[in-house]
Coordinates of all heavy atoms in Angstrom, one line a residue:
L322 N 67.1 44.0 -5.9 CA 65.8 44.2 -5.3 C 65.8 45.2 -4.2 O 64.9 46.0 -4.1 CB 65.2 42.9 -4.9 CG 64.9 41.9 -6.0 CD1 64.6 40.5 -5.4 CD2 63.8 42.3 -6.9
L323 N 66.8 45.2 -3.4 CA 66.9 46.2 -2.3 C 67.1 47.6 -2.8 O 66.4 48.6 -2.4 CB 68.1 45.8 -1.4 CG 68.0 44.6 -0.5 CD1 69.3 44.2 0.1 CD2 67.0 44.9 0.6
V324 N 68.0 47.7 -3.8 CA 68.2 49.1 -4.4 C 67.0 49.6 -5.2 O 66.6 50.7 -5.1 CB 69.5 49.1 -5.3 CG1 69.6 50.3 -6.1 CG2 70.7 48.8 -4.4
D325 N 66.3 48.7 -5.9 CA 65.1 49.1 -6.6 C 64.0 49.6 -5.6 O 63.2 50.4 -6.0 CB 64.5 47.9 -7.4 CG 65.3 47.6 -8.6 OD1 66.2 48.4 -9.0 OD2 65.1 46.5 -9.2
L326 N 64.1 49.1 -4.4 CA 63.1 49.5 -3.4 C 63.4 50.9 -2.8 O 62.5 51.6 -2.3 CB 63.1 48.5 -2.3 CG 62.1 48.6 -1.2 CD1 60.7 48.5 -1.7 CD2 62.3 47.5 -0.1
G327 N 64.7 51.3 -2.9 CA 65.0 52.6 -2.4 C 66.2 52.6 -1.4 O 66.4 53.6 -0.8
I328 N 66.8 51.5 -1.3 CA 67.9 51.4 -0.4 C 69.2 51.8 -1.2 O 69.3 51.4 -2.4 CB 68.0 49.9 0.2 CG1 66.9 49.8 1.2 CG2 69.4 49.6 0.8 CD1 66.2 48.6 1.3
S329 N 70.1 52.5 -0.6 CA 71.3 53.0 -1.3 C 72.2 51.8 -1.7 O 72.2 50.8 -0.9 CB 72.0 54.1 -0.5 OG 72.7 53.4 0.5
P330 N 72.9 51.9 -2.8 CA 73.8 50.8 -3.2 C 74.8 50.4 -2.1 O 75.0 49.2 -1.8 CB 74.4 51.3 -4.5 CG 73.5 52.3 -5.0 CD 72.8 52.9 -3.9
I331 N 75.3 51.4 -1.4 CA 76.3 51.1 -0.4 C 75.7 50.4 0.8 O 76.2 49.4 1.3 CB 77.2 52.3 0.0 CG1 78.4 51.7 0.9 CG2 76.4 53.3 0.8 CD1 79.6 52.6 1.0
D332 N 74.5 50.8 1.1 CA 73.8 50.1 2.2 C 73.4 48.6 1.8 O 73.4 47.7 2.6 CB 72.6 50.9 2.7 CG 73.0 52.0 3.6 OD1 74.1 52.0 4.2 OD2 72.3 53.0 3.7
A333 N 73.1 48.5 0.5 CA 72.8 47.1 0.1 C 74.0 46.2 0.2 O 73.9 45.1 0.7 CB 72.3 47.2 -1.4
I334 N 75.2 46.7 -0.2 CA 76.3 45.8 -0.1 C 76.8 45.7 1.3 O 77.4 44.7 1.7 CB 77.5 46.2 -1.1 CG1 77.9 47.7 -0.9 CG2 77.2 45.9 -2.5 CD1 79.2 48.1 -1.7
R335 N 76.6 46.7 2.2 CA 76.8 46.5 3.6 C 76.0 45.4 4.1 O 76.4 44.6 4.9 CB 76.5 47.8 4.4 CG 77.6 48.8 4.2 CD 77.2 50.2 4.9 NE 78.2 51.2 4.8 CZ 78.0 52.5 4.6 NH1 76.7 52.9 4.4 NH2 79.0 53.3 4.5
A336 N 74.7 45.4 3.7 CA 73.8 44.3 4.2 C 74.3 42.9 3.8 O 74.1 42.0 4.6 CB 72.4 44.5 3.6
G337 N 74.9 42.9 2.6 CA 75.4 41.6 2.2 C 76.8 41.2 2.6 O 77.3 40.2 2.2
T338 N 77.5 42.1 3.3 CA 78.9 41.8 3.7 C 79.0 42.0 5.2 O 78.7 41.1 6.0 CB 79.9 42.7 2.9 OG1 79.5 44.1 3.1 CG2 79.8 42.3 1.5
G339 N 79.4 43.2 5.7 CA 79.6 43.5 7.1 C 78.5 43.2 8.0 O 78.6 42.5 9.0
N340 N 77.3 43.7 7.6 CA 76.1 43.5 8.5 C 75.8 42.0 8.6 O 75.5 41.5 9.7 CB 74.9 44.2 7.9 CG 74.9 45.7 8.1 OD1 75.9 46.2 8.6 ND2 73.8 46.3 7.8
A341 N 75.9 41.3 7.5 CA 75.6 39.9 7.5 C 76.6 39.1 8.4 O 76.2 38.2 9.2 CB 75.6 39.3 6.1

Side-chain angles (χ1 to χ4, degrees):
L322 293 171
L323 288 166
V324 171
D325 286 349
L326 184 60
I328 285 142
S329 72
I331 189 157
D332 283 336
I334 53 173
R335 282 175 180 140
T338 55
N340 284 7

